[in-house]
Amino acid sequence: MPSDNIEMLLQADFDDLAGRLENDRFEKRLQFRLAARSRARLGVIGLAGGLGAAFAASQFADLGRLAAPYLAKALPSYTVSIDTATQLSAAVVLAAAVITTALVLRQDT
Amino acid sequence: MGPNDIELVALAKVTQDGAAFTELVRRHQARLRAFLRRLCGSAHLADDIAQETFIKAYEGLTSFRGGASFRSWLYAIAYREFLQDRRREKAAARLKGALQTDASNIETSSAIEDGLSMDLRRALMGLEETERAALLLCDAAGLSHSEAARVLKAPLGSIKTYIARGRKKMRAALTGGSDKRPPETETMKTKAPAAHKGVIYAV
């Protein structure tokens, strides 16, 4: 039971105000803000993943050339050209980066 | 009957379920925003703080242990956000008009829009922040004294003091300085919501 009129007055005002705030689409605005944060975060993850994969792929040609003499000795019957092997490796790394990003996106949404 | 708050929090934690959190927002947003509006005196600022509060709650859901009620946890975040906002210089500028206790600076249109009488608004804004917060939490929002103590991070005895002092000050302000109870109007008896727009003590 309210202890005095001040309490009743505040309660009446508060209930009235809360009632009017019940259906003014605040939840929608909040959801949009939460989604915007999530989208920004995912964008950063995707960008970082793409850049990292592209950089890694760009190093494969050099690595392949360095490793070529040793590979030729170790696998004399394996005649695939170095360029083809590095391009394939780069494609695999890029695909792995895209798949990883997609998995992260899927978990976040 | 739907799940209670604690069950919804658990659901949101385990499943990373946006729907469970949305339901929590739907349940609490109106009263939390009403509390913030009356606390800071500005609808715009109150809604900004409410949004920040829910975002912080969403991001910190894993830190909610369930010992306290979800409601008091949420109000504690909101009050902390309010205090932080107050400290920022930018917010202080925004609040300059809204938090003036001088009656001449009270935004009449905003008060009317909010359905709050000028007298009540003036009396409320004339209180100390902690008094106003304690009074709003317990007398208006319906939190228990111990819940309010958790929200305001103050001892239980202090909360009771804030409330008693706040009521006394409001009574004095509403009755023109004589510290006696305001007359009980039809509005207060019936609690008809829209009836007390600026006419509470005009009768």
Side-chain angles (χ1 to χ4, degrees):
Chain A
M1 185 181 165
S3 60
D4 60 20
N5 293 340
I6 298 295
E7 185 173 347
M8 292 176 73
L9 198 59
L10 286 171
Q11 268 181 10
D13 163 64
F14 193 85
D15 291 344
D16 173 38
L17 178 58
R20 280 183 285 121
L21 295 174
E22 202 68 61
N23 297 306
D24 68 346
R25 299 176 61 80
F26 176 83
E27 293 135 78
K28 299 279 175 205
R29 295 199 299 273
L30 181 67
Q31 275 176 343
F32 183 79
R33 263 192 79 176
L34 281 171
R37 282 188 170 210
S38 182
R39 281 195 300 271
R41 183 168 160 261
L42 298 179
V44 170
I45 291 169
L47 188 67
L51 282 174
F55 179 76
S58 71
Q59 305 303 307
F60 272 100
D62 291 339
L63 282 171
R65 282 191 195 93
L66 278 172
Y70 305 104
L71 283 173
K73 281 180 191 170
L75 302 164
S77 60
Y78 190 66
T79 56
V80 176
S81 80
I82 293 300
D83 284 343
T84 307
T86 52
Q87 281 166 8
L88 273 172
S89 304
V92 169
V93 169
L94 278 169
V98 169
I99 290 166
T100 309
T101 307
L103 284 172
V104 172
L105 295 183
R106 193 162 167 264
Q107 279 181 343
D108 272 10
T109 53
Chain B
M1 203 175 88
N4 63 29
D5 285 355
I6 303 294
E7 288 166 345
L8 279 173
V9 170
L11 197 64
K13 272 188 196 175
V14 171
T15 63
Q16 295 286 303
D17 187 1
F21 186 74
T22 303
E23 174 59 20
L24 285 166
V25 173
R26 196 192 59 73
R27 281 185 191 182
H28 294 283
Q29 60 90 12
R31 294 185 77 77
L32 181 81
R33 287 163 66 208
F35 163 68
L36 285 167
R37 281 192 185 199
R38 292 299 176 251
L39 183 64
C40 62
S42 157
H44 192 75
L45 179 59
D47 279 6
D48 280 352
I49 296 174
Q51 283 208 358
E52 278 306 313
T53 300
F54 281 112
I55 288 169
K56 289 261 164 71
Y58 183 70
E59 289 169 347
L61 214 55
T62 48
S63 69
F64 176 68
R65 299 277 171 244
S69 73
F70 178 75
R71 181 176 65 163
S72 61
W73 183 68
L74 200 61
Y75 278 68
I77 298 174
Y79 188 65
R80 201 164 56 234
E81 284 296 309
F82 166 73
L83 292 179
Q84 279 177 4
D85 209 80
R86 284 293 314 278
R87 287 187 202 109
R88 282 181 218 128
E89 196 176 351
K90 189 179 161 192
R94 272 190 293 163
L95 282 164
K96 195 177 176 185
L99 287 180
Q100 284 283 356
T101 53
D102 181 357
S104 62
N105 286 322
I106 292 173
E107 299 166 31
T108 311
S109 60
S110 170
I112 291 168
E113 187 188 311
D114 261 3
L116 184 62
S117 82
M118 289 296 287
D119 286 342
L120 184 57
R121 184 183 173 89
R122 189 182 294 117
L124 204 51
M125 299 313 280
L127 302 179
E128 299 286 328
E129 249 168 45
T130 42
E131 291 166 359
R132 189 161 68 241
L135 207 59
L136 286 168
L137 286 170
C138 295
D139 282 2
L143 270 72
S144 67
H145 286 182
S146 51
E147 279 182 311
R150 274 197 293 273
V151 171
L152 303 180
K153 290 192 172 17
L156 192 59
S158 302
I159 297 296
K160 289 175 182 172
T161 307
Y162 294 148
I163 291 171
R165 206 188 298 154
R167 281 180 188 157
K168 191 177 175 186
K169 282 185 185 175
M170 282 198 73
R171 208 173 291 131
L174 291 169
T175 52
S178 62
D179 184 19
K180 63 182 181 186
R181 289 185 177 196
E184 190 166 321
T185 64
E186 200 59 35
T187 303
M188 286 184 281
K189 285 176 188 166
T190 59
K191 285 195 178 181
H196 59 277
K197 287 184 181 176
V199 293
I200 295 164
Y201 297 110
V203 287

